[in-house]
Amino acid sequence: MNFLKLIYDTLMLISSKISHKKAYSCGSDEKSQKELYISVRKDLIITVHHLLDIEYEVVGDDLESLWAMIFFSTACCYSSMDVEGQPLLFSEILRLGCKLIDLYSELRQVDSSISSLCRALRHSSSLVGDSEAYTQFASYSNALSMLLCSSKFRLSLGNAIKAIPEGQASGCIKQLSTDIMESLDWIKCGHQLKTEKSNKCDSLQFRLRAELLGKVLSEVYIIILDSITVTSGNSYLLGVSLTNLLEIIRPGLSNLVSSQEICVLVDGVTLSKTTGCDNVSICWILVVFFRLILSYRSLFRQTIRLVAPRESEKMSLVMSDSLTIRPASDWLEMAGSFGEDLFSSIIQPPTTVLDVIHSVLDICTQDSVVLCPPLVWVLNAVALQRLVELNLLIRSSEYKLQWKDADDSSCRKWGKRVTRMRNEAVGLTKFMMESLSSIYKDQIFAPSFGGGIDKSFSVGSFEEKSLAYALWWTNCQHVDIWCSHAAKKDLKKFLTLVIQASISYINEDNCHSTTNKPIHLEKVTAYQIALEFLSNTISYEQRFVCRYMASSFCKILQMSVSSIFATSGVDLSESPDWIKVISEVEKLSDVQIGGFLWRKPDMVPAENGNEQINVEFAKCQRLLTLLVQMPEEYLSLESSSLYITYILNLERLLVSSLLEWRSESCSHNPYQIFRLLVTCRKVLPTLALASGKVNVIGSSKCSLPLPWLLKSLSAVIGVQNTFPEDNAFEAKVAIFSMLHYTSYAWLLASKDQFHHEIGSILSDRKLRRKRKNLKPGTVEPDISECNLQSVLQLTDTLDENMHKSLTTFKDEFLHKGCQDLNKLSSTIACFQGLLWGLASTLDNKSFRMKLSNNTEMMTRINSSVHSCMNFISFLIKASFLEDQPSGKMVSSGTKGVLMKCNLEEQSCPAISDLEAFLSQVQHQKLCLKKSLLMQIFRGENAEASFFLGQLFIACSAVVRLNMQIDLTSIPWNLFAIVVDIAQFLLLEFSRSEEMPHQFTFFWLDGAVKFLEELGSYFPRFDPSLSREFYSKMIGLHLKVMGKCISLEKKEAKLDNQGKSCISLETSRLDEFKERLRMSFRKYMEKKSSELHLLSVIVAVERALVGEQEGVMANYEIVCGGSNGGEVSSFVAGGIDCLDSILELLLTGSKHLEGTIKEHIQNLVACLFNVILHLQGPTIFYDYVESIKAYERPDSGSVVLMCVEILTKISRNPFFFKKGACHMVQCLRVPGALFQYLLQLQIVKISSDIGTSKCAFDRKFSVELYAISCRMLCTAIKNHGSETRDCIALLEDSVSVLLHCLETVNVHHVDGRESFAWEVQEAVKCASCLRRVYEEVRQQKDFFKEHSFKFLSRYIWVYCGFGPAGNGLISR
């Protein structure tokens, strides 16, 4: 100990000598000398840190000197920002400072460490130097602020205060009061010294003391007050200590605004401009007092709530806050309580908060320059706190006054007081708005503006820029507090600022990329704050946001569009004549686009404005994206109509620019124009959906002009050929997005129109039935005729476009290029949108019945569907069948040509003859164009992929409509071809070993959607005739589902809840997997026959044992070596589909109950068999670079799914009766799985894997641990008798899970790295295991003498006698 003490004293002596060199201020020293100082300081800090780790008592009672060394080292570090090694020195200083706080917190002596810190800081200021340069003093205060205001140090200090025992909390406040008195005396001495000597150095010394007090010491004080834990046990003593603290604070502000200038009393000495104190020093002292009052008031209120009622009344008098502890019924009788506010008990004579703010603000700003940014923020915090109180008083008073007589004198008095409170609230809000607008300059929203504010910001370290961010953040977070008192002008201005800030982040990706990537910065920026405000539903609950959002948004959009198209002069608010607009677009589109080389314009020179135009394009993109992110429920019908009008006019402008861009007058980048057009089309469905939800009655139609959507799409669909090669891929994606959004817009708008038209027919007929006294000879108009005109016009427009597209279609269209395919896709996309809109409307049973009785409507629908199906039939046969005769091509001509086209539809069966379809689909032999289909499968022909996907979706719409209203003729032989194509592609997908191309999902979604709609027909089929086809469809679902699980690897789950999509591919895969589950459930709907349901169960059971029909290898579950086995994707698909079956049963599908109960024992046995084969250490690893990574599913994910299903079965014993042997296995599985985790060694596993690279998956191990604990809890709760009979297995599994919690940190044994969890991961696992212990405690009467064994085992391991010998950490 003496030797260590000698070393420590020597180190402190060296540090003292270096400090006398004033290394922190040697601005003219050589760089090498600075590097030497940095190196020596770093070694000293590290050595002292090691000494504290060895024996903390070496410090003795001289903790103040150690803090002084830390401060001078920080000053040296701050003055050497450009020196190599400076960041490492600061990190070591910060570690040592946090170490001192944490060490003395563990010793329950954190108050001594904090008081030593404060004394060292006050003492060190006098040693800064005798220089008359203010930069030296400012450098020292900034250095200490860098250390003590850092988020890591503040967090460490806050945690130490929270860890103070309950009984020591009041003592901590007493120590704080003592230190505040010492600091005030320190300030007084500095002022007296300055007054006596009157030299510049002493003036700067006093200013330094004031700055250190307001910037650094106040931060320490506030952390203490904000972190103290108040309980019912210490509340009274805390109240006494806080009362004493107030007696220290009160004199300082007692005469703050008593005269014409601001006066602060510090220990009896007046500080003001008259006494020679500068405004900056006064501001820093006011920062301390105001922050102390705010924190004191908050803590005191917590105390009042927990003390006895009598004591709370006494304490409220101290704080002058009697209103908060009294009911509103007593307020009217309280004469003098209205004047109580933040300063009523401090400042004499009593002054309102607003008057104090205005008085202090006069010395805080000088010539529009903020002298002390932290004080401005504190004043805003004071105003916000007062607004909270005023809102409470106003609302409570108004509510109470409703129940009183208006002529009562007390009511009249309180009515006047409420008026004065409202006026005060208006004044405070005006001050907050003025502070925001005066500090916020235009450059804060500029694209190049950088910076931000830390999430855990420190008030003392504020500068003018950081103050702007802090005020912006505070106003956005607390908009509900001040918005009701703000002027209309201020509200509009604030909302405009929010929108401008939300589009202010512009970078190269925004200008030249199709994606808007989320911004991840360490600091919170104005962009992020505004975006958070606009994405928060609470913001839209404020009336002004919904009222002014649309007008503010459209105004900014108009300005941005005007900057791009300066010569157009288009007013986006006017409603155009769409017939005229469409006619103009058709004339422009007659000019061939393409056939020339695109020359990339110069994007850099500023003189031609291209750079600014790029920024404006990006702003428009962000504005439109903002609409998509807004909550739909807060979009009113009026605002949606306004948005739609502006966006449609912008679309009109963009389409015209695309068609005219070759002219000399247009210098815009066509790709930018098209991207903006796609974004416009993306927003329209969102607005249509929102307006449809608002307009549920159907009183007015959707304002989307559907003919414009079709014509504009057809006009620009070929513009892709004019884009440069470096945008080729992005252009394809944009084209397909345009097609998809247009189709979705057609679906929503047509659904709205069908809903409106059919709803009008229903309401008109009801009205007609009520008419009783009609005059003789009165002829009623045919209401249905006028109501159906808009629907008839839509179908006529589509028929015309369809025939026009077909006349230009050629036999060898694939060799000509993608333009024809995209044009055909556009027609099909709009038609299928119309059909799906009708199908969605007919989901309403009453609508369906009335439509079936309307002969004219049914005739027109049948005609349109027949034309569409002939069109689709021709395209499918010409495109995907080898033997399509060329003579069947439809030539150009009239509308009747297509209707009479002989495509072998004359003999196709109607819906009453489905057996012929079954025979055809089960026995037909088609010659498909497999080369084309393989191109589509591999993503090599993106246009054909999208084209095929649209064909699938259109066919599925017809199948749905036929189920709803029995169409007169359906080409079932065409659907047999579609089924064959879908089967071929899906089987290829199930056999693939690579992640599918993103274009593959175009046809994947469509194929599964078609199979889903086809599944609803099986209840109409003869089960004996359709069983083979039904089984084939079920097997196809199992294979495709298994392949999805293989592609997801460790991310595979039974459902998508809680999954994190790490890429676009995994996100699309999740969506496809969910659609596949929906399709699978469709085959087991309530009307399904028992024979069909039995086929499903048998197929799943065969999949679980690894038996696949038609495959030579009949057993696809392999045990493997010591590291575990593997299963095929077919087995994994069976597991997922079994979960879907169980979910259907548990959600009310009782028709499955009998079939499931007969096979549940076999299914459970199959799941245990899978776990038995796969268990091993490899289940905890993720293979990141395996040669065949996607060939088979991840064994760990399969095990996790099996355990989850077994838990679900155990949780519902009413439906699923498990045998005793199965319960034995349930109790054994957790221990069997996690025993491998205890033996896990990374080096050994990696070497065994060979060519595959792997990584331990901690997230997965935590998930498996949690579900294993859940399995044990479920067994104990629902199967108590079976569990008691196998109590030894339960004890063993719990012991293994408990032992896993021992290895929390990484330990190195014999050069090998063994498994370990991080602390937070172990805490999650421990909370899951705790539920098992709680369940055992609940069943202790049932388990009797076995209960104590669980607790004794826990104590044994906790004390360090487990296998690892580490024990369990306290957390």
Side-chain angles (χ1 to χ4, degrees), residues 705-738:
L706 293 180
W708 162 255
L709 300 183
L710 176 62
K711 294 297 182 181
S712 60
L713 179 63
S714 302
V716 302
I717 201 68
V719 77
Q720 173 189 350
N721 295 337
T722 66
F723 297 151
E725 294 183 359
D726 55 350
N727 294 127
F729 181 80
E730 291 82 358
K732 284 185 179 181
V733 176
I735 288 287
F736 299 140
S737 299
M738 182 78 173

Side-chain angles (χ1 to χ4, degrees), residues 644 647-648 651 680-689 704 709:
I644 289 174
I647 292 173
L648 287 174
E651 275 197 1
C680 290
R681 194 57 55 93
K682 178 182 179 180
V683 178
L684 288 178
T686 303
L687 297 175
L689 186 63
L704 287 184
L709 300 183

